[in-house]
Amino acid sequence: MPLSDCRQIDLPKIMDQRGNLTFVEGQNHIPFDIKRVYYLYDVPGGSDRGEHAHRNLHQFMICMSGSFDLLLKDGTDEKRFHLNRSYYGIYICPMMWRYLDNFSSGAVCMVLASAPYDEADYIRDWEQFQLEAKAL
């Protein structure tokens, strides 16, 4: 899949003086069924996360609090996103190298995934990723 398939998706935002509400429905707001949810938090200043790709997994990444940057690479091109709101997220299609950095204090990154954890789906070596990406 090309990098252009990865994109920002705005989510419903129901505004209320008591506080706002946003929700995500699989196969409605995002193009897959949600099979797993995980989140990153308490990331020390100056740290980064990610540095891997998934062969088959679709993901949707939301910044629930604070801010951070997401860099996506397809083996040829790259695109950087700055996430700092909980009412939109970034759809990440399979075979995208991801790198997260620039975490603010108190940042929380929530990820919705299309499948349960499967170590065999990971590509953790950049050179291996480039070989597999070119073969597509």
Side-chain angles (χ1 to χ4, degrees):
M1 294 182 136
L3 183 59
S4 61
D5 287 349
C6 299
R7 65 193 183 280
Q8 178 178 315
I9 297 175
D10 295 330
L11 299 170
K13 183 177 179 183
I14 300 169
M15 300 180 72
D16 188 297
Q17 64 185 12
R18 301 167 296 165
N20 300 331
L21 181 139
T22 291
F23 58 96
V24 182
E25 296 174 350
Q27 294 297 350
N28 184 5
H29 303 112
I30 58 175
F32 60 87
D33 287 327
I34 301 164
K35 303 289 186 182
R36 177 170 51 121
V37 177
Y38 65 92
Y39 43 95
L40 305 170
Y41 57 97
D42 294 341
V43 178
S47 295
D48 53 45
R49 298 293 309 239
E51 295 191 82
H52 64 269
H54 293 279
R55 292 179 175 93
N56 300 303
L57 191 71
H58 297 258
Q59 295 181 312
F60 185 66
M61 187 172 291
I62 305 168
C63 181
M64 300 305 295
S65 179
S67 65
F68 59 89
D69 290 345
L70 167 65
L71 177 65
L72 296 177
K73 299 180 180 184
D74 65 4
T76 304
D77 297 315
E78 64 181 55
K79 186 171 184 178
R80 182 173 287 272
F81 298 89
H82 181 68
L83 287 89
N84 63 355
R85 298 286 186 258
S86 59
Y87 50 83
Y88 71 84
I90 305 301
Y91 166 64
I92 307 170
C93 58
M95 290 304 293
M96 287 297 141
W97 190 264
R98 79 270 335 271
Y99 178 78
L100 291 87
D101 66 356
N102 198 27
F103 285 87
S104 71
S105 177
V108 177
C109 169
M110 183 172 72
V111 182
L112 312 177
S114 65
Y117 175 81
D118 177 8
E119 181 60 32
D121 189 57
Y122 282 76
I123 305 171
R124 298 185 185 277
D125 178 77
W126 172 248
E127 287 76 25
Q128 179 65 33
F129 169 74
Q130 289 181 307
L131 287 172
E132 291 188 34
K134 286 180 185 177
L136 295 177

